[in-house]
Amino acid sequence: MGKLNNIAGNFIPEDNIIEIVPFGSGLINNTYLVKTKSSFPDYILQRKNKNVFPNVPAMMDNIVKVTDHLRNKIIEEGGDPERNVMTLLTTTNGDPFFEDAEGEFWTMSLYIPDTISYETASTNDLARKGGEGIGKFQRQMADFTQDLYLTIEGFHDLKFRFKQWDETIKSGNRKRIKECKKEIEWIENRRKKMVDFWNLVEEGKIPKRVTHNDTKLSNILFDKEGNVLCVIDLDTVMYNTVLADFGDAIRTFANQGKEDDINIDNVGLDIEKYNSYIEGYLSEAGEMLNEMEKEYLSFGPQYIIYEQVMRFLMDYLKDDVYYKIDYPTHNLVRTRAQMKLLESIESFFQI
Ligand code: GN1
Ligand code: MG
């Protein structure tokens, strides 16, 4: 762990560190908790995945702008700026990242103590509070007007995903492509419906706003009383449709099973949690949505889960180059669990 201590030492005095331990459940970056001597706060240290984020300084520029904006709002609204928004540290050079000798990028933020994060929502109340949390984030960002870098090309952009998809089917692992005939057909059967929806976004009928783009439940911190404190993991903050955030949240908040459930019988929409999430979400974001966004709200989960199916399956067909996996068929298991979730949602909603 000596190397990690040295890296953290670019942000804080190395002498204050007691130990640095792996932390969290992300599929992309490497995350650590930096425990320090008792008179100092603890921190989160992260090695950003260069493979996924080609321009970490641009990504950090987005995060600085967004957290600055949120901090002002939180102070205005009487919140706690150390607990309701991420606080980034800077290096002795004043940068919000450190580039090591191997060209890896590291960032550090304040660890928010006495918080809980969840992988699945156990109660309707948690789903409602989660909805409030994401709704509040979007509401507080609604008057943000600065540019944000597109940090990952085509992220949650269906047209881009279809281009990637067609290339993957041409050049992916032949054996796996054969094995996944059913899954590939499943994607193709829904292609037209998805392209039609994406056209509404491209035409501006469904507007682009500041979105988090990774609103899974584990990216929201709750306090011990179950209230939302803070939205974390702002790596993918960009301009997109709010339906992406709504959909991705439902994907985890209202799934009866796990994202990668091996037993797909466990997977399905929990309609009560769905309704609770909407109730919380609209209580904060309802006023900023236009008619089209409201009309298509229930399509948000369909679009984003469909995209997740494509992404997990493409990664499987490309021999697992993007997501971390725990076993060789992990991406296929994720694909099938997400397919089941979308089918379940389709049985509830007709559009
Ligand atoms: C990745 O690693 P994490 O949890 O931040 C991915 C998301 C997916 C998610 C699926 C940059 O997020 O888009 O929804 O896994 N992030 C990126 O669990 O690709
Ligand atoms: Mg993320």
Side-chain angles (χ1 to χ4, degrees):
M1 284 294 173
K3 188 183 163 224
L4 288 176
N5 285 40
N6 288 341
I7 287 164
N10 290 283
F11 296 89
I12 56 165
E14 212 179 312
D15 282 351
N16 296 352
I17 301 171
I18 296 175
E19 61 168 344
I20 302 186
V21 293
F23 190 77
S25 62
L27 305 191
I28 303 287
N29 299 316
N30 290 1
T31 308
Y32 304 90
L33 175 63
V34 181
K35 297 189 189 165
T36 62
K37 292 176 185 161
S38 60
S39 49
F40 302 96
D42 293 339
Y43 300 94
I44 293 292
L45 175 69
Q46 237 185 6
R47 193 189 77 185
K48 299 294 184 184
N49 184 329
K50 268 198 320 190
N51 201 12
V52 171
F53 299 107
N55 188 347
V56 176
M59 170 170 93
M60 294 313 293
D61 193 73
N62 284 356
I63 301 179
V64 168
K65 283 181 187 156
V66 167
T67 51
D68 283 350
H69 182 90
L70 287 174
R71 192 168 306 105
N72 289 336
K73 288 274 165 193
I74 286 156
I75 294 169
E76 245 172 67
E77 294 178 9
D80 178 348
E82 289 203 346
R83 288 178 74 72
N84 298 143
V85 59
M86 283 175 69
T87 306
L88 298 177
L89 271 68
T90 50
T91 62
T92 35
N93 298 337
D95 294 325
F97 55 83
F98 170 71
E99 186 178 359
D100 71 15
E102 280 110 60
E104 296 291 348
F105 285 92
W106 299 81
T107 65
M108 223 159 137
S109 61
L110 206 57
Y111 171 74
I112 307 176
D114 302 317
T115 52
I116 310 175
S117 77
Y118 302 89
E119 295 294 323
T120 50
S122 49
T123 63
N124 294 340
D125 194 47
L126 194 76
R128 190 173 50 74
K129 294 214 168 103
E132 273 171 29
I134 299 296
K136 189 170 181 178
F137 170 85
Q138 290 179 353
R139 175 179 62 70
Q140 290 178 329
M141 291 308 299
D143 60 348
F144 179 90
T145 51
Q146 300 173 62
D147 287 340
L148 292 173
Y149 289 100
L150 182 68
T151 49
I152 303 182
E153 196 195 353
F155 202 65
H156 298 332
D157 173 334
L158 283 180
K159 285 259 171 82
F160 178 87
R161 293 298 178 196
F162 279 118
K163 229 171 74 193
Q164 245 183 359
W165 171 256
D166 292 336
E167 279 159 18
T168 305
I169 299 299
K170 262 194 227 138
S171 62
N173 176 326
R174 296 324 306 168
K175 196 165 154 264
R176 288 188 172 187
I177 289 176
K178 242 181 159 166
E179 176 196 358
C180 296
K181 195 166 171 278
K182 259 183 35 204
E183 287 77 12
I184 293 171
E185 254 174 48
W186 186 99
I187 292 284
E188 292 298 343
N189 288 340
R190 289 162 177 80
R191 184 175 182 132
K192 183 178 177 313
K193 179 159 110 173
M194 294 295 159
V195 170
D196 287 349
F197 163 74
W198 197 250
N199 284 337
L200 299 173
V201 177
E202 289 194 338
E203 288 159 12
K205 291 184 178 143
I206 295 177
K208 290 200 174 170
R209 307 179 188 273
V210 178
T211 43
H212 179 282
N213 289 309
D214 191 6
T215 49
K216 60 184 183 185
L217 180 51
S218 55
N219 280 336
I220 297 180
L221 296 182
F222 293 81
D223 68 13
K224 300 230 159 104
E225 284 73 51
N227 298 309
V228 172
L229 273 179
C230 180
V231 177
I232 56 169
D233 185 4
L234 299 172
D235 290 357
T236 47
V237 152
M238 282 179 260
Y239 283 94
N240 195 5
T241 159
V242 293
L243 302 180
D245 279 0
F246 176 75
D248 217 23
I250 291 299
R251 190 177 75 81
T252 51
F253 278 85
N255 183 357
Q256 291 173 339
K258 290 192 296 188
E259 174 179 82
D260 58 349
D261 225 304
I262 295 182
N263 181 1
I264 59 165
D265 292 340
N266 293 338
V267 175
L269 179 69
D270 181 329
I271 191 71
E272 284 187 23
K273 296 219 175 76
Y274 178 94
N275 287 331
S276 301
Y277 184 92
I278 287 211
E279 194 187 298
Y281 175 68
L282 291 180
S283 76
E284 287 282 349
E287 281 180 23
M288 66 180 240
L289 302 182
N290 76 15
E291 287 312 309
M292 203 71 155
E293 287 171 307
K294 285 186 204 151
E295 187 186 330
Y296 276 85
L297 203 56
S298 72
F299 197 75
Q302 296 199 38
Y303 133 66
I304 216 71
I305 296 167
Y306 179 84
E307 193 215 23
Q308 296 280 11
V309 172
M310 282 174 107
R311 291 172 68 199
F312 286 138
L313 184 55
M314 285 193 288
D315 201 30
Y316 183 67
L317 300 179
K318 289 196 276 203
D319 294 324
D320 312 305
V321 290
Y322 189 90
Y323 293 111
K324 288 180 189 167
I325 51 168
D326 295 336
Y327 51 91
T329 54
H330 202 164
N331 275 318
L332 184 57
V333 167
R334 288 172 177 144
T335 301
R336 291 183 174 149
Q338 296 293 299
M339 285 166 66
K340 172 70 194 305
L341 181 60
L342 178 51
E343 285 166 14
S344 163
I345 291 177
E346 285 170 341
S347 72
F348 279 94
F349 302 100
Q350 298 317 318
I351 67 161

